[in-house]
Amino acid sequence: MMTINSWHKHARSIKRTVLLLMLFILPLALPVNAQQPPAPSADQNAAPDTAVLANMNNRRNPLIQITTNVGDIWIELFPQAAPANVEHLLTLIGNEEWRQRLYENNTFHRIERNLFIQTGAQHEQPTTQRQQPPAVPYVSDEINALGLGLEQLPALQADGQPHPWLNISDADDFRTRLLRPLYDQLGINTAEELADRQNEVLSTLAGMNLLQVHEMLGYEYNSRLPSRRPLSGSVVMVNRGPGSNQSEFAILLADMPWLTGTHTVIGQMVGGETPATLISQRRPGNIFISSIGLATPGQPVGVDSEISQAARGLQ
């Protein structure tokens, strides 16, 4: 019979498959067998207006234009899939103070070559400034986990190792991320209780799927929302854990399935693949955002009134 201690020893043999689960705290890492997409040619976005509109799922969705010193990026937002997060982002972009603090004259501060680019971190305030600005509000996750098939993926694979999407890196990570939350869920508080109930712990762990693990860790789901997977071109909210979306978002340049069920997809890139890929190939902080706002063909971006109207329309 396998004991808790033997599970701990077995966990020490788990190899690192990715470097993290949370975008906000550490840079995302390439998966072990990832094939990076080739860099696009420089003239790929020669006629952006027509291509952007043709790439949109629904032309009534909000369309965001990000202007950088290497070109423009267009993002179609999905208010049906993530209404609260889309409204939140539109509100931040539509408010001049928030926009300038979070996005404009800011950089893509976290990148991984041909994998993702991330922006939206708050500008550092001068040390002499006495009054700090208010913190960006938190927004809950908006994910339909049932539509993503997480309930069909076992937490432990046939060889006893955790599913790669859990990103368990070593024995300590295994204890912290799986065993201790499971002990709490089962009401096990002492070593004596653990010794008496170790068979229950092992059988529960062996029968868990990814949906149950994420729910145990605090993630909440809404089966009424459309399902969106973190695929190449997706725009996802960055977080520190369940219910901690703020202002940072990442544009994915390759499929990132290990974010499934833990990161809210708020939109997709519908234009600007060339500059987005070029940004991912530069050092963090080298590319600046000069403007960000609602994009309408023939209209300037960054118009507060237009964005405010779009945000009110989502309420």
Side-chain angles (χ1 to χ4, degrees), residues 72-244:
D72 294 343
I73 300 171
W74 287 265
I75 295 173
E76 176 188 4
L77 298 178
F78 297 145
Q80 294 79 17
N85 282 272
V86 168
E87 180 180 357
H88 175 68
L89 181 61
L90 288 172
T91 299
L92 295 179
I93 296 174
N95 180 281
E96 183 177 2
E97 179 182 355
W98 283 116
R99 186 172 66 246
Q100 292 180 354
R101 281 175 51 195
L102 300 170
Y103 305 109
E104 291 183 346
N105 298 317
N106 208 343
T107 67
F108 288 91
H109 62 281
R110 185 160 292 145
I111 63 175
E112 189 69 35
R113 185 179 180 87
N114 296 341
L115 184 61
F116 77 94
I117 57 177
Q118 180 178 327
T119 190
Q122 185 167 285
H123 287 301
E124 294 184 2
Q125 300 297 319
T127 56
T128 57
Q129 183 171 327
R130 295 182 179 180
Q131 184 177 2
Q132 293 295 319
V136 180
Y138 288 104
V139 182
S140 299
D141 303 302
E142 292 177 299
I143 306 171
N144 179 358
L146 292 176
L148 299 174
L150 293 175
E151 73 281 4
Q152 301 175 18
L153 301 176
L156 296 182
Q157 301 182 108
D159 59 1
Q161 295 189 11
H163 194 283
W165 291 5
L166 291 175
N167 297 333
I168 301 296
S169 59
D170 53 31
D172 289 338
D173 205 17
F174 183 78
R175 285 190 291 268
T176 300
R177 297 265 307 283
L178 283 183
L179 289 182
R180 289 174 184 170
L182 183 58
Y183 298 160
D184 292 339
Q185 179 175 281
L186 296 176
I188 297 176
N189 300 309
T190 66
E192 291 77 13
E193 292 176 340
L194 176 59
D196 292 339
R197 301 174 62 185
Q198 62 178 338
N199 288 338
E200 179 186 359
V201 171
L202 293 175
S203 61
T204 301
L205 184 60
M208 294 185 73
N209 56 50
L210 294 192
L211 175 60
Q212 293 169 325
V213 170
H214 291 327
E215 288 180 329
M216 180 178 68
L217 297 177
Y219 289 95
E220 298 179 355
Y221 301 107
N222 186 342
S223 60
R224 297 188 300 272
L225 297 172
S227 297
R228 294 284 182 178
R229 297 180 181 275
L231 304 175
S232 179
S234 295
V235 181
V236 303
M237 293 299 292
V238 175
N239 62 54
R240 285 175 166 156
S244 61

